[in-house]
Amino acid sequence: MVSKSEIKLDKVKLNAFMLEAFPQVAHEYAIQTVAVNEITVRLAVEERHLRPGGTVSGPTMFALADVSAYLATLAMIGPQALAVTTNCSIDFMRKPAPGVDLIAEAKILKLGKLLSVTDVMIRSEGMQDPVARATLTYAIPPARP
């Protein structure tokens, strides 16, 4: 049974998990806060994240939303490297501010035995209005007897 009120992986453990499971991208995402069913993740925007016209690319914002939902889920269920995205809907609402970090605030809406549904708001640092909003569903591997 998945506990919905107890953090299984704190910030330090999530960072260690990312370094072990995803060393190729772990350095890109800075976990800022972890709370029950919530996480805040920062992406330091660099030139390689930009698309023509100088704004952050959609794939970069998608990746931030996806990683944030994944980490929010793992914080609550523990290290399950094989939890996978099964659905994502993302709305790009406005251009991010040029040259500033993106901050994702992820909140788990439903956490069951086999699925986790998370809402993610992405903002440019210093901007009140979100630049993107995503809802992601993760499949959680079944518990082994």
Side-chain angles (χ1 to χ4, degrees), residues 84-105:
V84 295
T85 309
T86 59
N87 189 55
C88 177
S89 173
I90 189 165
D91 297 303
F92 301 104
M93 297 184 278
R94 57 189 50 82
K95 284 184 177 184
V100 300
D101 292 355
L102 293 181
I103 300 169
E105 297 169 347

Side-chain angles (χ1 to χ4, degrees), residues 11 17 20 25 29 52-53 56 74 107 113 143:
K11 180 177 170 178
F17 174 83
E20 180 182 325
V25 295
Y29 303 99
V56 177
L74 295 186
K107 295 181 183 190
K113 291 180 184 178

Side-chain angles (χ1 to χ4, degrees), residues 1-4 73 77 80 110-116 138-143:
M1 182 78 156
V2 175
S3 171
K4 296 179 178 138
T73 300
I77 68 170
Q80 296 281 338
K110 180 186 184 299
L111 181 58
K113 291 180 184 178
L114 298 177
L115 293 176
S116 172
Y138 263 82
I140 300 168

Side-chain angles (χ1 to χ4, degrees), residues 12-115:
V12 171
K13 290 177 182 172
L14 283 170
N15 278 318
F17 174 83
M18 284 294 287
L19 284 169
E20 180 182 325
F22 300 99
Q24 68 276 25
V25 295
H27 65 282
E28 296 214 15
Y29 303 99
I31 300 166
Q32 303 216 286
T33 63
V34 179
V36 172
N37 295 322
E38 297 182 11
I39 196 165
T40 304
V41 179
R42 174 184 295 266
L43 171 71
V45 174
E46 298 177 6
E47 185 155 344
R48 62 194 166 88
H49 297 121
L50 304 180
R51 57 168 280 124
T55 191
V56 177
S57 71
T60 296
M61 289 188 273
F62 172 86
L64 176 59
D66 194 35
V67 167
S68 298
Y70 183 65
L71 292 173
T73 300
L74 295 186
M76 300 308 297
I77 68 170
Q80 296 281 338
L82 297 180
V84 295
T85 309
T86 59
N87 189 55
C88 177
S89 173
I90 189 165
D91 297 303
F92 301 104
M93 297 184 278
R94 57 189 50 82
K95 284 184 177 184
V100 300
D101 292 355
L102 293 181
I103 300 169
E105 297 169 347
K107 295 181 183 190
I108 295 175
L109 303 176
K110 180 186 184 299
L111 181 58
K113 291 180 184 178
L114 298 177
L115 293 176

